[in-house]
Amino acid sequence: MTPTKITTYEYQHTDLKVYKAVFDDNWNSVRKIFDEHPELRIKPINKWLETPLMIAMGTDRSHDFVKNLLASLSSDNLISDALDAENMVKNTALHFATHVGNTIDATLVLSYSSKPEMILHKNEDKISPLLYASRLGKKNKLLEFLLLKIGVLNPPTSGIPARSLLSGDLLGPAIEGEFLELALELTKNYSRTTFTQKRDLQRSLVMLAKKPELFLSGSKLGFWGRLIYSVLPDGSETMHDEKRSQRHVQDEESIYKAKNFFCCKSTSAVLFKRILQYLASPIMNIYDMKITHRQAKELVKQMCKSIIEETNDKEVIWLNLVPTIFIAVEYGIYEVIEECILAYPRVTWATSLGDDAVFLFHSAISNRQEQVYNLVYQMSSHKTFLASHLHEETGENALHIVAKMAPAQRLMNINGAALRMQRELQWFKEIETNFVKPKFKHAYNKKNETPKMVFLDQHKELLKEGQEWMKDTASSSTVVATLIVTMAFAVAFAVPGGTNDGRPVYLDKGAFMLFIISDAIALFSSATSVLMFLGILTSRYSADDFLYTLPQRMTIGLVFLFLSLAATLVAFSATLSLVLQDKVTWIAAPLLAVTSIPVGLFAVLQFPLLVNLVYSTYGPSIFGKQNKRMLH
């Protein structure tokens, strides 16, 4: 784009000095220039048509310069010209401030303006200052201020088109900034008066489908976190209170009379939050998370309802919901897919848009999204059809699809190449055993490949990495276990205190019996551990061995290695206690504390691996395939 030709001055004496003053936040250095040439205050000073105000607000540090410049412009009635000025891509000064999160100067600029609609002004890329602010992060202060200023929470000083509230100008930023309660207000109360564009809600639905952190399926909660989550309320009492106290708004004037969503809380919810603040911050975070999850699900449900009720056009409904569910599959947001299917069950039969069209179920398999797979699996009619479906271009069935390599982002969530290989095998065995018909298990695709052939070819690198990981882990563990075997065997014949006529001197001491028992446990445990690790080192390392055989051996080896290490340290402590008991009577307690240090370090370093192995091999299957809400 060619810049507009403008009146210029001597670059060295004007523009360069203004530039330097802006970045140095030094208003006084250019005050004389501005007095001599007042038009310089609103004149573009570079080839991108950026004015001094734009550049200053974009620095997010030249606050004094902005303050003095605005005051100067206001005294000469040039504020509107400065605020309405656009650069090459139609960005205003407010765009510059919101893009960098400059709350101070954005607040100051809006205090000089009587036109809150400037917050919705779109640049060449169709981005408004409000949308820029929403991208700064979750519930930031700048976005909250802009929402208040625009008049959503309070009556505006000038009219803003009501339809803009749902045309992406406000709903999108509210979702992007995670002001879900505001988004719910918009979709529930204003949809019938403001829904004017067919794809408005579709964009917002897609935005939600790309935010797994707003749903339980995308939250990383451990065992205790999920337990606490299950017993906490979800804030639904607040929602019910609002339903009883506020009816759906039917006209544009009522839009601005909506209850302040930041302050609208039921007494019980506020009391509960205050109690939690004094008890524990982690519990408070989980409580807020649960409220967010409930609001996000309710928002998806309301959007789907609005899309279906506002139009009877099947094609429009299809074009709104289909992209949403396939993006939700990619991100693994089970709740979005569930709400879309409940609102419009026919969407279950949709295929992805694009050249390689696939069904929802096949997409769940390809993306390794077990919760989506479980959801669709229970619908018997859909499952029966897909179990025998062949892709027209490739001739592949569901087993061919699952035989291909999982997306990298899904595998990276699993620690260790061996466990990744095991998870891939679990998926393959699940589809082979419980989904496809027997005649398709050895069917050929158009490349004359069976599912097993595809699996081995696609996973040969992962198989190699799994072999190396198993060998390295087993080799290093074998060295430790062998040392413990050697020490435990040797000390069994060199008992502390020696012997008297073949009888141990400390035979009648309790600590001596602890030594003997601990040493025996160390010897037998370490010997068992060595045998397990040798079994791994001498394995044939076929793909199927990674499903149960190799993880079993690794689990047993690590368990007995930990037991032998703990027993060895107990035996050593018992020996020192016997030898020093006459000199240091209080030695037992310090020895116990010192002994716990290496045992604790081993637990910290190796237990996560052991837990993952046990849970992945012996834990509950990831394929639950149950959901009471869905209809067959």
Side-chain angles (χ1 to χ4, degrees):
M1 179 180 293
T2 305
T4 304
K5 188 173 182 180
I6 56 175
T7 303
T8 59
Y9 298 86
E10 182 65 34
Y11 180 74
Q12 295 290 340
H13 295 99
T14 57
D15 293 4
L16 192 60
K17 288 183 179 180
V18 173
Y19 247 115
K20 190 175 187 306
V22 168
F23 283 100
D24 291 342
D25 195 17
N26 188 352
W27 169 259
N28 291 328
S29 65
V30 290
R31 178 184 292 177
K32 185 177 179 180
I33 295 177
F34 285 155
D35 288 341
E36 295 175 356
H37 304 285
E39 66 275 17
L40 275 177
R41 293 172 296 173
I42 57 175
K43 164 192 167 291
I45 58 174
N46 60 25
K47 65 179 181 179
W48 298 287
L49 306 185
E50 294 173 351
T51 65
L53 181 61
M54 294 177 187
I55 298 169
M57 294 184 72
T59 64
D60 194 17
R61 64 175 184 272
S62 302
H63 305 304
D64 185 64
F65 188 94
V66 172
K67 179 181 178 181
N68 284 285
L69 178 58
L70 288 174
S72 174
L73 292 170
S74 178
S75 64
D76 293 340
N77 295 321
L78 293 174
I79 281 290
S80 295
D81 294 334
L83 299 186
D84 293 340
E86 299 176 343
N87 71 349
M88 285 180 63
V89 293
K90 306 300 182 184
N91 278 327
T92 64
L94 190 58
H95 278 93
F96 280 78
T98 56
H99 190 60
V100 297
N102 186 352
T103 305
I104 295 174
D105 292 337
T107 304
L108 187 60
V109 160
L110 288 169
S111 69
Y112 278 94
S113 174
S114 60
K115 300 186 294 184
E117 58 266 26
M118 66 186 296
I119 299 171
L120 301 176
H121 177 77
K122 294 180 180 179
N123 62 14
E124 202 171 71
D125 296 324
K126 307 301 181 184
I127 300 176
S128 65
L130 187 68
L131 186 55
Y132 270 141
S134 71
R135 294 175 177 177
L136 295 173
K138 175 181 178 182
K139 291 189 177 180
N140 61 82
K141 293 296 182 182
L142 177 56
L143 178 59
E144 182 176 341
F145 169 75
L146 294 180
L147 291 173
L148 284 163
K149 188 68 177 178
I150 203 174
V152 176
L153 310 178
N154 297 307
T157 56
S158 63
I160 298 174
R163 64 183 181 85
S164 69
L165 291 174
L166 211 62
S167 64
D169 292 338
L170 184 56
L171 182 60
I175 294 173
E176 186 78 35
E178 299 184 14
F179 286 104
L180 299 186
E181 198 165 349
L182 170 59
L184 272 171
E185 288 289 338
L186 293 174
T187 54
K188 286 180 182 179
N189 298 332
Y190 316 139
S191 61
R192 294 190 182 279
T193 58
T194 61
F195 188 80
T196 58
Q197 300 182 34
K198 294 180 178 180
R199 299 181 66 87
D200 289 342
L201 287 179
Q202 188 265 339
R203 287 191 290 268
S204 298
L205 265 177
V206 168
M207 191 179 296
L208 271 174
K210 292 181 178 180
K211 284 182 165 287
E213 65 274 13
L214 298 182
F215 300 88
L216 177 60
S217 57
S219 303
K220 306 297 182 183
L221 289 174
F223 172 78
W224 293 110
R226 285 189 173 272
L227 181 62
I228 295 172
Y229 184 97
S230 65
V231 299
L232 289 174
D234 63 358
S236 56
E237 69 279 3
T238 303
M239 179 179 66
H240 295 322
D241 289 345
E242 292 178 6
K243 284 183 177 179
R244 287 192 296 266
S245 63
Q246 179 180 351
R247 300 302 178 205
H248 287 302
V249 183
Q250 299 297 326
D251 52 69
E252 295 183 8
E253 181 182 357
S254 299
I255 292 175
Y256 304 110
K257 297 180 181 178
K259 198 183 304 180
N260 188 324
F261 79 99
F262 288 111
C263 302
C264 178
K265 305 290 181 184
S266 69
T267 304
S268 59
V270 172
L271 180 60
F272 187 74
K273 290 190 74 170
R274 287 178 179 172
I275 293 173
L276 287 183
Q277 286 175 343
Y278 290 103
L279 292 178
S281 178
I283 297 178
M284 186 67 202
N285 292 336
I286 295 174
Y287 173 67
D288 290 336
M289 182 188 298
K290 190 165 186 177
I291 290 178
T292 298
H293 295 167
R294 189 266 300 164
Q295 290 175 340
K297 283 193 68 175
E298 182 67 19
L299 185 56
V300 175
K301 180 179 179 179
Q302 190 62 40
M303 285 181 175
C304 292
K305 179 181 177 183
S306 297
I307 289 172
I308 294 171
E309 290 184 354
E310 296 296 335
T311 178
N312 294 321
D313 191 337
K314 174 189 171 183
E315 182 180 354
V316 172
I317 297 173
W318 202 258
L319 289 175
N320 274 272
L321 298 186
V322 171
T324 301
I325 63 172
F326 279 95
I327 290 175
V329 170
E330 182 181 347
Y331 284 86
I333 309 180
Y334 160 85
E335 296 88 343
V336 171
I337 300 169
E338 182 182 33
E339 294 298 338
C340 288
I341 293 176
L342 285 170
Y344 197 69
R346 292 192 62 184
V347 80
T348 312
W349 297 93
T351 57
S352 60
L353 303 177
D355 297 333
D356 188 23
V358 294
F359 285 99
L360 173 64
F361 189 80
H362 292 154
S363 180
I365 294 173
S366 179
N367 285 281
R368 301 296 194 270
Q369 299 294 354
E370 55 272 8
Q371 289 183 312
V372 182
Y373 167 81
N374 295 338
L375 171 67
V376 185
Y377 181 92
Q378 65 189 298
M379 290 177 283
S380 56
S381 59
H382 192 70
K383 178 181 66 177
T384 302
F385 169 77
L386 293 176
S388 57
H389 176 76
L390 296 178
H391 195 279
E392 292 183 3
E393 295 184 5
T394 63
E396 295 178 340
N397 59 46
L399 199 54
H400 283 99
I401 294 174
V402 79
K404 297 177 181 179
M405 196 72 173
Q409 67 270 19
R410 294 295 294 168
L411 289 179
M412 293 307 295
N413 294 330
I414 304 172
N415 294 325
L419 291 179
R420 292 170 189 166
M421 188 67 185
Q422 184 189 48
R423 178 57 58 88
E424 289 290 88
L425 283 164
Q426 288 172 343
W427 268 99
F428 187 82
K429 294 297 182 182
E430 165 66 22
I431 303 301
E432 182 183 48
T433 306
N434 298 321
F435 186 71
V436 300
K437 298 178 180 179
K439 69 176 182 178
F440 292 108
K441 294 180 181 180
H442 305 287
Y444 288 90
N445 61 14
K446 291 189 177 180
K447 293 182 180 180
N448 292 321
E449 295 174 325
T450 64
K452 191 67 174 180
M453 292 167 63
V454 174
F455 183 90
L456 294 176
D457 180 64
Q458 291 268 321
H459 293 81
K460 56 186 177 183
E461 290 299 324
L462 183 60
L463 179 60
K464 183 180 179 180
E465 292 175 10
Q467 292 172 356
E468 293 175 354
W469 184 88
M470 276 285 180
K471 286 181 179 179
D472 291 343
T473 306
S475 296
S476 57
S477 300
T478 301
V479 173
V480 178
T482 303
L483 288 173
I484 295 175
V485 168
T486 304
M487 290 187 296
F489 184 82
V491 299
F493 298 97
V495 295
T499 60
N500 186 6
D501 296 331
R503 185 175 184 273
V505 173
Y506 295 123
L507 183 61
D508 297 328
K509 300 288 186 178
F512 183 80
M513 294 305 298
L514 178 61
F515 161 76
I516 290 295
I517 294 172
S518 299
D519 187 65
I521 293 174
L523 178 62
F524 297 131
S525 297
S526 57
T528 303
S529 180
V530 168
L531 291 174
M532 289 296 103
F533 292 131
L534 285 176
I536 293 174
L537 292 172
T538 58
S539 173
R540 59 178 182 165
Y541 291 105
S542 69
D544 289 338
D545 288 341
F546 283 87
L547 188 59
Y548 290 113
T549 304
L550 292 174
Q552 277 181 336
R553 293 176 184 176
M554 182 63 74
T555 300
I556 295 172
L558 288 174
V559 167
F560 280 100
L561 179 60
F562 175 78
L563 187 60
S564 64
L565 178 62
T568 299
L569 292 172
V570 171
F572 176 76
S573 301
T575 300
L576 286 182
S577 180
L578 284 170
V579 174
L580 299 176
Q581 63 181 342
D582 294 333
K583 297 289 184 179
V584 186
T585 56
W586 46 265
I587 193 64
L591 282 176
L592 182 62
V594 173
T595 299
S596 64
I597 294 175
V599 175
L601 285 175
F602 184 91
V604 170
L605 296 174
Q606 297 297 327
F607 255 41
L609 171 61
L610 183 58
V611 169
N612 287 336
L613 279 168
V614 172
Y615 190 83
S616 181
T617 308
Y618 303 104
S621 172
I622 60 175
F623 306 105
K625 297 185 286 295
Q626 291 183 2
N627 190 308
K628 295 179 180 179
R629 292 189 65 194
M630 300 306 299
L631 299 176
H632 292 266

